Amino acid sequence: MKLENLKNKIVLVKGDITEYPADVIVNAANSSLMGGSGVDGAIHRKGGKEILEDCMKIRSSQGKCNVGEAVITRAGNMPFKNVIHTVGPVWQLGKNKEKKLFAEKLLKKAYISSLELAEKNKLKIISFPNISTGIYRFPKELAAKIAINAVIEYFEKSDFIEKVNFICFEDENFEIYQNILNEKGIM
Ligand code: APR
């Protein structure tokens, strides 16, 4: 799909992922799926115990959610059809190039796994937070490039999903996404 055509499929939003309309929102979870702070905390708080119940069922049937993988639950009290929980990589400080490249691959996988799971569940509008850029300390610019390129790659293979909302909670991430999307002619 030409990048130009992605203008009406990719939306950039400054705000709270639990407040923006979508079929499904993506949670930046941890492998335990038992909740946390950041966007994980917000989603569990707003969604209520139904989400944790579903996560516990997933835990007992498949075990933990590996980094880069995604699972799906109900959305509880929130006005979405579902929540997709994915686990991003923790940024590896230090000089180890292989570790950094591996973390980049896992972050891309988290986006692709979530998009594929949304399509599998016939969910056409999906909202992403800026996965791994908070507590997991992934560099924001690099994470944004990985996220946007992963979505572009998905749209080259499938046009099932109608809209991907990138929800930026912080100004810094919003400006980074705005610059990259502008450079690519998608905004
Ligand atoms: N809506 C949208 N984005 C949000 C919200 C919200 N309500 N709250 C926080 N964010 C943003 C953060 O500002 C950050 O840009 O989500 C991005 C991801 O940050 P984290 O939530 O810290 O997620 P991550 O860096 O992937 O770390 C995951 O944090 O909460 C724990 O259980 C979680 O262990 C896991 C770790």
Side-chain angles (χ1 to χ4, degrees):
M1 179 177 288
K2 287 207 349 269
L3 290 186
E4 172 73 20
N5 299 348
L6 292 179
K7 273 188 174 161
N8 56 7
K9 290 184 83 90
I10 293 178
V11 177
L12 182 62
V13 178
K14 171 82 176 54
D16 182 332
I17 198 167
T18 64
E19 301 294 333
Y20 193 81
D23 290 336
V24 59
I25 63 172
V26 176
N27 180 24
N30 60 61
S31 292
S32 79
L33 296 174
M34 292 295 110
S37 51
V39 67
D40 198 5
I43 286 174
H44 277 273
R45 213 172 23 255
K46 294 269 183 82
K49 64 178 175 34
E50 198 179 80
I51 297 183
L52 193 60
E53 279 165 13
D54 287 0
C55 286
M56 290 170 87
K57 282 189 193 124
I58 292 165
R59 275 295 302 274
S60 54
S61 66
Q62 68 161 55
K64 292 189 170 189
C65 181
N66 295 321
V67 178
E69 294 185 359
V71 295
I72 191 164
T73 68
R74 293 171 293 172
N77 308 321
M78 294 185 290
F80 309 111
K81 291 177 183 164
N82 294 97
V83 175
I84 284 175
H85 306 259
T86 191
V87 182
V90 179
W91 181 244
Q92 306 295 328
L93 291 171
K95 301 243 182 312
N96 189 320
K97 196 100 186 72
E98 289 74 46
K99 274 191 178 173
K100 289 184 191 303
L101 284 176
F102 189 54
E104 290 175 33
K105 281 197 177 66
L106 285 174
L107 183 59
K108 174 182 174 182
K109 189 177 173 204
Y111 282 92
I112 297 291
S113 303
S114 300
L115 289 160
E116 289 173 349
L117 190 53
E119 177 167 348
K120 188 170 156 224
N121 287 272
K122 308 271 180 276
L123 299 160
K124 289 187 173 282
I125 305 174
I126 181 170
S127 289
F128 281 105
N130 311 130
I131 299 168
S132 284
T133 67
I135 289 169
Y136 284 0
R137 304 177 55 72
F138 215 101
K140 292 180 167 60
E141 178 97 25
L142 177 57
K145 284 188 181 130
I146 292 168
I148 292 167
N149 288 336
V151 167
I152 291 171
E153 190 177 299
Y154 167 81
F155 280 129
E156 279 159 4
K157 287 182 295 190
S158 163
D159 60 2
F160 174 83
I161 287 179
E162 281 168 7
K163 210 165 277 292
V164 171
N165 305 315
F166 284 120
I167 313 286
C168 299
F169 200 59
E170 306 148 358
D171 291 335
E172 186 186 0
N173 268 321
F174 183 78
E175 281 148 32
I176 289 169
Y177 272 75
Q178 203 168 37
N179 293 338
I180 297 169
L181 291 170
N182 276 325
E183 271 162 30
K184 289 180 178 288
I186 301 177
M187 250 182 96

PDB file of all heavy atoms in Angstrom, residues 92-116:
ATOM      1  N   GLN A  92      17.967  -2.760  26.799  1.00  0.00           N
ATOM      2  CA  GLN A  92      19.233  -3.271  27.345  1.00  0.00           C
ATOM      3  C   GLN A  92      20.280  -2.161  27.350  1.00  0.00           C
ATOM      4  O   GLN A  92      20.758  -1.771  26.284  1.00  0.00           O
ATOM      5  CB  GLN A  92      19.735  -4.421  26.444  1.00  0.00           C
ATOM      6  CG  GLN A  92      18.701  -5.511  26.231  1.00  0.00           C
ATOM      7  CD  GLN A  92      18.372  -6.238  27.510  1.00  0.00           C
ATOM      8  OE1 GLN A  92      19.233  -6.384  28.397  1.00  0.00           O
ATOM      9  NE2 GLN A  92      17.138  -6.676  27.651  1.00  0.00           N
ATOM     10  N   LEU A  93      20.583  -1.638  28.514  1.00  0.00           N
ATOM     11  CA  LEU A  93      21.628  -0.592  28.582  1.00  0.00           C
ATOM     12  C   LEU A  93      22.978  -1.251  28.304  1.00  0.00           C
ATOM     13  O   LEU A  93      23.093  -2.456  28.317  1.00  0.00           O
ATOM     14  CB  LEU A  93      21.608   0.041  29.971  1.00  0.00           C
ATOM     15  CG  LEU A  93      20.343   0.890  30.235  1.00  0.00           C
ATOM     16  CD1 LEU A  93      20.270   1.296  31.694  1.00  0.00           C
ATOM     17  CD2 LEU A  93      20.335   2.097  29.316  1.00  0.00           C
ATOM     18  N   GLY A  94      23.964  -0.428  28.021  1.00  0.00           N
ATOM     19  CA  GLY A  94      25.294  -1.018  27.812  1.00  0.00           C
ATOM     20  C   GLY A  94      25.601  -1.150  26.331  1.00  0.00           C
ATOM     21  O   GLY A  94      24.818  -0.750  25.466  1.00  0.00           O
ATOM     22  N   LYS A  95      26.725  -1.765  26.037  1.00  0.00           N
ATOM     23  CA  LYS A  95      27.286  -1.712  24.678  1.00  0.00           C
ATOM     24  C   LYS A  95      26.888  -2.893  23.811  1.00  0.00           C
ATOM     25  O   LYS A  95      27.166  -2.929  22.629  1.00  0.00           O
ATOM     26  CB  LYS A  95      28.823  -1.663  24.783  1.00  0.00           C
ATOM     27  CG  LYS A  95      29.340  -0.471  25.581  1.00  0.00           C
ATOM     28  CD  LYS A  95      30.175   0.446  24.742  1.00  0.00           C
ATOM     29  CE  LYS A  95      30.747   1.628  25.527  1.00  0.00           C
ATOM     30  NZ  LYS A  95      29.740   2.318  26.372  1.00  0.00           N
ATOM     31  N   ASN A  96      26.207  -3.878  24.397  1.00  0.00           N
ATOM     32  CA  ASN A  96      25.995  -5.125  23.668  1.00  0.00           C
ATOM     33  C   ASN A  96      25.058  -4.930  22.468  1.00  0.00           C
ATOM     34  O   ASN A  96      23.841  -4.818  22.617  1.00  0.00           O
ATOM     35  CB  ASN A  96      25.394  -6.177  24.629  1.00  0.00           C
ATOM     36  CG  ASN A  96      25.363  -7.538  23.970  1.00  0.00           C
ATOM     37  OD1 ASN A  96      25.054  -7.631  22.781  1.00  0.00           O
ATOM     38  ND2 ASN A  96      25.693  -8.577  24.735  1.00  0.00           N
ATOM     39  N   LYS A  97      25.638  -4.879  21.277  1.00  0.00           N
ATOM     40  CA  LYS A  97      24.889  -4.597  20.036  1.00  0.00           C
ATOM     41  C   LYS A  97      23.853  -5.683  19.768  1.00  0.00           C
ATOM     42  O   LYS A  97      22.706  -5.392  19.422  1.00  0.00           O
ATOM     43  CB  LYS A  97      25.876  -4.521  18.856  1.00  0.00           C
ATOM     44  CG  LYS A  97      25.263  -3.857  17.640  1.00  0.00           C
ATOM     45  CD  LYS A  97      25.668  -2.385  17.491  1.00  0.00           C
ATOM     46  CE  LYS A  97      24.905  -1.715  16.345  1.00  0.00           C
ATOM     47  NZ  LYS A  97      23.465  -1.494  16.676  1.00  0.00           N
ATOM     48  N   GLU A  98      24.249  -6.948  20.002  1.00  0.00           N
ATOM     49  CA  GLU A  98      23.312  -8.046  19.712  1.00  0.00           C
ATOM     50  C   GLU A  98      22.062  -7.902  20.584  1.00  0.00           C
ATOM     51  O   GLU A  98      20.937  -8.062  20.123  1.00  0.00           O
ATOM     52  CB  GLU A  98      23.957  -9.419  20.001  1.00  0.00           C
ATOM     53  CG  GLU A  98      25.041  -9.837  19.014  1.00  0.00           C
ATOM     54  CD  GLU A  98      26.319  -9.053  19.223  1.00  0.00           C
ATOM     55  OE1 GLU A  98      26.730  -8.918  20.396  1.00  0.00           O
ATOM     56  OE2 GLU A  98      26.877  -8.528  18.234  1.00  0.00           O
ATOM     57  N   LYS A  99      22.292  -7.553  21.859  1.00  0.00           N
ATOM     58  CA  LYS A  99      21.145  -7.449  22.787  1.00  0.00           C
ATOM     59  C   LYS A  99      20.194  -6.345  22.325  1.00  0.00           C
ATOM     60  O   LYS A  99      18.977  -6.486  22.366  1.00  0.00           O
ATOM     61  CB  LYS A  99      21.639  -7.134  24.208  1.00  0.00           C
ATOM     62  CG  LYS A  99      22.022  -8.359  25.017  1.00  0.00           C
ATOM     63  CD  LYS A  99      22.230  -7.976  26.466  1.00  0.00           C
ATOM     64  CE  LYS A  99      22.581  -9.172  27.340  1.00  0.00           C
ATOM     65  NZ  LYS A  99      22.934  -8.718  28.716  1.00  0.00           N
ATOM     66  N   LYS A 100      20.792  -5.242  21.825  1.00  0.00           N
ATOM     67  CA  LYS A 100      19.941  -4.124  21.392  1.00  0.00           C
ATOM     68  C   LYS A 100      19.139  -4.516  20.160  1.00  0.00           C
ATOM     69  O   LYS A 100      17.940  -4.285  20.081  1.00  0.00           O
ATOM     70  CB  LYS A 100      20.811  -2.894  21.082  1.00  0.00           C
ATOM     71  CG  LYS A 100      21.420  -2.233  22.310  1.00  0.00           C
ATOM     72  CD  LYS A 100      22.182  -0.986  21.916  1.00  0.00           C
ATOM     73  CE  LYS A 100      23.034  -0.435  23.035  1.00  0.00           C
ATOM     74  NZ  LYS A 100      22.322  -0.118  24.262  1.00  0.00           N
ATOM     75  N   LEU A 101      19.816  -5.200  19.225  1.00  0.00           N
ATOM     76  CA  LEU A 101      19.115  -5.615  17.997  1.00  0.00           C
ATOM     77  C   LEU A 101      18.001  -6.600  18.344  1.00  0.00           C
ATOM     78  O   LEU A 101      16.904  -6.531  17.794  1.00  0.00           O
ATOM     79  CB  LEU A 101      20.097  -6.253  17.011  1.00  0.00           C
ATOM     80  CG  LEU A 101      20.994  -5.258  16.258  1.00  0.00           C
ATOM     81  CD1 LEU A 101      21.990  -5.995  15.389  1.00  0.00           C
ATOM     82  CD2 LEU A 101      20.145  -4.299  15.418  1.00  0.00           C
ATOM     83  N   PHE A 102      18.273  -7.479  19.289  1.00  0.00           N
ATOM     84  CA  PHE A 102      17.266  -8.464  19.700  1.00  0.00           C
ATOM     85  C   PHE A 102      16.064  -7.761  20.325  1.00  0.00           C
ATOM     86  O   PHE A 102      14.915  -8.070  20.015  1.00  0.00           O
ATOM     87  CB  PHE A 102      17.888  -9.455  20.683  1.00  0.00           C
ATOM     88  CG  PHE A 102      16.994 -10.626  21.000  1.00  0.00           C
ATOM     89  CD1 PHE A 102      16.471 -11.415  19.971  1.00  0.00           C
ATOM     90  CD2 PHE A 102      16.643 -10.931  22.310  1.00  0.00           C
ATOM     91  CE1 PHE A 102      15.641 -12.506  20.252  1.00  0.00           C
ATOM     92  CE2 PHE A 102      15.797 -12.003  22.600  1.00  0.00           C
ATOM     93  CZ  PHE A 102      15.308 -12.793  21.563  1.00  0.00           C
ATOM     94  N   ALA A 103      16.336  -6.737  21.133  1.00  0.00           N
ATOM     95  CA  ALA A 103      15.242  -5.970  21.763  1.00  0.00           C
ATOM     96  C   ALA A 103      14.412  -5.265  20.690  1.00  0.00           C
ATOM     97  O   ALA A 103      13.181  -5.233  20.752  1.00  0.00           O
ATOM     98  CB  ALA A 103      15.818  -4.961  22.752  1.00  0.00           C
ATOM     99  N   GLU A 104      15.065  -4.753  19.659  1.00  0.00           N
ATOM    100  CA  GLU A 104      14.332  -4.084  18.568  1.00  0.00           C
ATOM    101  C   GLU A 104      13.408  -5.076  17.861  1.00  0.00           C
ATOM    102  O   GLU A 104      12.261  -4.779  17.559  1.00  0.00           O
ATOM    103  CB  GLU A 104      15.315  -3.474  17.567  1.00  0.00           C
ATOM    104  CG  GLU A 104      16.076  -2.277  18.105  1.00  0.00           C
ATOM    105  CD  GLU A 104      17.134  -1.771  17.143  1.00  0.00           C
ATOM    106  OE1 GLU A 104      16.915  -1.860  15.916  1.00  0.00           O
ATOM    107  OE2 GLU A 104      18.180  -1.285  17.615  1.00  0.00           O
ATOM    108  N   LYS A 105      13.913  -6.295  17.630  1.00  0.00           N
ATOM    109  CA  LYS A 105      13.102  -7.324  16.947  1.00  0.00           C
ATOM    110  C   LYS A 105      11.877  -7.677  17.795  1.00  0.00           C
ATOM    111  O   LYS A 105      10.766  -7.853  17.295  1.00  0.00           O
ATOM    112  CB  LYS A 105      13.927  -8.590  16.709  1.00  0.00           C
ATOM    113  CG  LYS A 105      14.860  -8.514  15.525  1.00  0.00           C
ATOM    114  CD  LYS A 105      15.318  -9.935  15.109  1.00  0.00           C
ATOM    115  CE  LYS A 105      16.186  -9.902  13.876  1.00  0.00           C
ATOM    116  NZ  LYS A 105      17.477  -9.206  14.137  1.00  0.00           N
ATOM    117  N   LEU A 106      12.106  -7.748  19.113  1.00  0.00           N
ATOM    118  CA  LEU A 106      10.995  -8.133  19.999  1.00  0.00           C
ATOM    119  C   LEU A 106       9.933  -7.033  20.069  1.00  0.00           C
ATOM    120  O   LEU A 106       8.741  -7.315  20.144  1.00  0.00           O
ATOM    121  CB  LEU A 106      11.527  -8.451  21.403  1.00  0.00           C
ATOM    122  CG  LEU A 106      12.236  -9.791  21.542  1.00  0.00           C
ATOM    123  CD1 LEU A 106      12.853  -9.924  22.931  1.00  0.00           C
ATOM    124  CD2 LEU A 106      11.277 -10.953  21.278  1.00  0.00           C
ATOM    125  N   LEU A 107      10.389  -5.775  20.012  1.00  0.00           N
ATOM    126  CA  LEU A 107       9.402  -4.683  20.049  1.00  0.00           C
ATOM    127  C   LEU A 107       8.552  -4.723  18.780  1.00  0.00           C
ATOM    128  O   LEU A 107       7.316  -4.613  18.835  1.00  0.00           O
ATOM    129  CB  LEU A 107      10.089  -3.326  20.199  1.00  0.00           C
ATOM    130  CG  LEU A 107       9.134  -2.138  20.314  1.00  0.00           C
ATOM    131  CD1 LEU A 107       8.196  -2.293  21.512  1.00  0.00           C
ATOM    132  CD2 LEU A 107       9.898  -0.821  20.425  1.00  0.00           C
ATOM    133  N   LYS A 108       9.188  -4.940  17.637  1.00  0.00           N
ATOM    134  CA  LYS A 108       8.433  -5.051  16.370  1.00  0.00           C
ATOM    135  C   LYS A 108       7.450  -6.216  16.469  1.00  0.00           C
ATOM    136  O   LYS A 108       6.276  -6.095  16.105  1.00  0.00           O
ATOM    137  CB  LYS A 108       9.396  -5.275  15.207  1.00  0.00           C
ATOM    138  CG  LYS A 108       8.676  -5.536  13.894  1.00  0.00           C
ATOM    139  CD  LYS A 108       9.637  -5.797  12.758  1.00  0.00           C
ATOM    140  CE  LYS A 108       8.897  -6.207  11.502  1.00  0.00           C
ATOM    141  NZ  LYS A 108       9.840  -6.511  10.399  1.00  0.00           N
ATOM    142  N   LYS A 109       7.911  -7.321  17.035  1.00  0.00           N
ATOM    143  CA  LYS A 109       7.060  -8.512  17.153  1.00  0.00           C
ATOM    144  C   LYS A 109       5.836  -8.226  18.013  1.00  0.00           C
ATOM    145  O   LYS A 109       4.721  -8.684  17.716  1.00  0.00           O
ATOM    146  CB  LYS A 109       7.865  -9.663  17.745  1.00  0.00           C
ATOM    147  CG  LYS A 109       7.149 -11.000  17.712  1.00  0.00           C
ATOM    148  CD  LYS A 109       7.995 -12.132  18.236  1.00  0.00           C
ATOM    149  CE  LYS A 109       7.135 -13.409  18.329  1.00  0.00           C
ATOM    150  NZ  LYS A 109       7.699 -14.356  19.319  1.00  0.00           N
ATOM    151  N   ALA A 110       6.000  -7.414  19.045  1.00  0.00           N
ATOM    152  CA  ALA A 110       4.862  -7.078  19.916  1.00  0.00           C
ATOM    153  C   ALA A 110       3.771  -6.355  19.122  1.00  0.00           C
ATOM    154  O   ALA A 110       2.573  -6.623  19.273  1.00  0.00           O
ATOM    155  CB  ALA A 110       5.338  -6.215  21.082  1.00  0.00           C
ATOM    156  N   TYR A 111       4.188  -5.437  18.236  1.00  0.00           N
ATOM    157  CA  TYR A 111       3.199  -4.737  17.399  1.00  0.00           C
ATOM    158  C   TYR A 111       2.556  -5.689  16.388  1.00  0.00           C
ATOM    159  O   TYR A 111       1.328  -5.716  16.231  1.00  0.00           O
ATOM    160  CB  TYR A 111       3.855  -3.542  16.689  1.00  0.00           C
ATOM    161  CG  TYR A 111       4.028  -2.337  17.587  1.00  0.00           C
ATOM    162  CD1 TYR A 111       5.207  -2.136  18.306  1.00  0.00           C
ATOM    163  CD2 TYR A 111       2.990  -1.428  17.767  1.00  0.00           C
ATOM    164  CE1 TYR A 111       5.355  -1.058  19.168  1.00  0.00           C
ATOM    165  CE2 TYR A 111       3.121  -0.335  18.631  1.00  0.00           C
ATOM    166  CZ  TYR A 111       4.304  -0.162  19.319  1.00  0.00           C
ATOM    167  OH  TYR A 111       4.440   0.905  20.180  1.00  0.00           O
ATOM    168  N   ILE A 112       3.364  -6.474  15.706  1.00  0.00           N
ATOM    169  CA  ILE A 112       2.830  -7.392  14.678  1.00  0.00           C
ATOM    170  C   ILE A 112       1.907  -8.435  15.317  1.00  0.00           C
ATOM    171  O   ILE A 112       0.793  -8.693  14.821  1.00  0.00           O
ATOM    172  CB  ILE A 112       3.980  -8.082  13.915  1.00  0.00           C
ATOM    173  CG1 ILE A 112       4.836  -7.060  13.143  1.00  0.00           C
ATOM    174  CG2 ILE A 112       3.441  -9.172  12.971  1.00  0.00           C
ATOM    175  CD1 ILE A 112       4.168  -6.385  11.952  1.00  0.00           C
ATOM    176  N   SER A 113       2.326  -8.988  16.456  1.00  0.00           N
ATOM    177  CA  SER A 113       1.477  -9.996  17.148  1.00  0.00           C
ATOM    178  C   SER A 113       0.120  -9.391  17.502  1.00  0.00           C
ATOM    179  O   SER A 113      -0.923 -10.019  17.354  1.00  0.00           O
ATOM    180  CB  SER A 113       2.155 -10.483  18.438  1.00  0.00           C
ATOM    181  OG  SER A 113       3.427 -11.003  18.178  1.00  0.00           O
ATOM    182  N   SER A 114       0.139  -8.137  17.954  1.00  0.00           N
ATOM    183  CA  SER A 114      -1.118  -7.475  18.352  1.00  0.00           C
ATOM    184  C   SER A 114      -2.013  -7.230  17.134  1.00  0.00           C
ATOM    185  O   SER A 114      -3.217  -7.470  17.183  1.00  0.00           O
ATOM    186  CB  SER A 114      -0.814  -6.140  19.045  1.00  0.00           C
ATOM    187  OG  SER A 114      -0.024  -6.349  20.197  1.00  0.00           O
ATOM    188  N   LEU A 115      -1.406  -6.794  16.034  1.00  0.00           N
ATOM    189  CA  LEU A 115      -2.195  -6.532  14.810  1.00  0.00           C
ATOM    190  C   LEU A 115      -2.802  -7.839  14.289  1.00  0.00           C
ATOM    191  O   LEU A 115      -3.974  -7.896  13.923  1.00  0.00           O
ATOM    192  CB  LEU A 115      -1.303  -5.894  13.740  1.00  0.00           C
ATOM    193  CG  LEU A 115      -0.877  -4.446  14.029  1.00  0.00           C
ATOM    194  CD1 LEU A 115       0.362  -4.090  13.199  1.00  0.00           C
ATOM    195  CD2 LEU A 115      -2.023  -3.478  13.741  1.00  0.00           C
ATOM    196  N   GLU A 116      -2.010  -8.892  14.289  1.00  0.00           N
ATOM    197  CA  GLU A 116      -2.496 -10.186  13.789  1.00  0.00           C
ATOM    198  C   GLU A 116      -3.595 -10.747  14.682  1.00  0.00           C
ATOM    199  O   GLU A 116      -4.597 -11.286  14.209  1.00  0.00           O
ATOM    200  CB  GLU A 116      -1.322 -11.174  13.669  1.00  0.00           C
ATOM    201  CG  GLU A 116      -0.386 -10.813  12.517  1.00  0.00           C
ATOM    202  CD  GLU A 116       0.877 -11.666  12.455  1.00  0.00           C
ATOM    203  OE1 GLU A 116       1.153 -12.412  13.420  1.00  0.00           O
ATOM    204  OE2 GLU A 116       1.584 -11.565  11.431  1.00  0.00           O
TER     205      GLU A 116
END
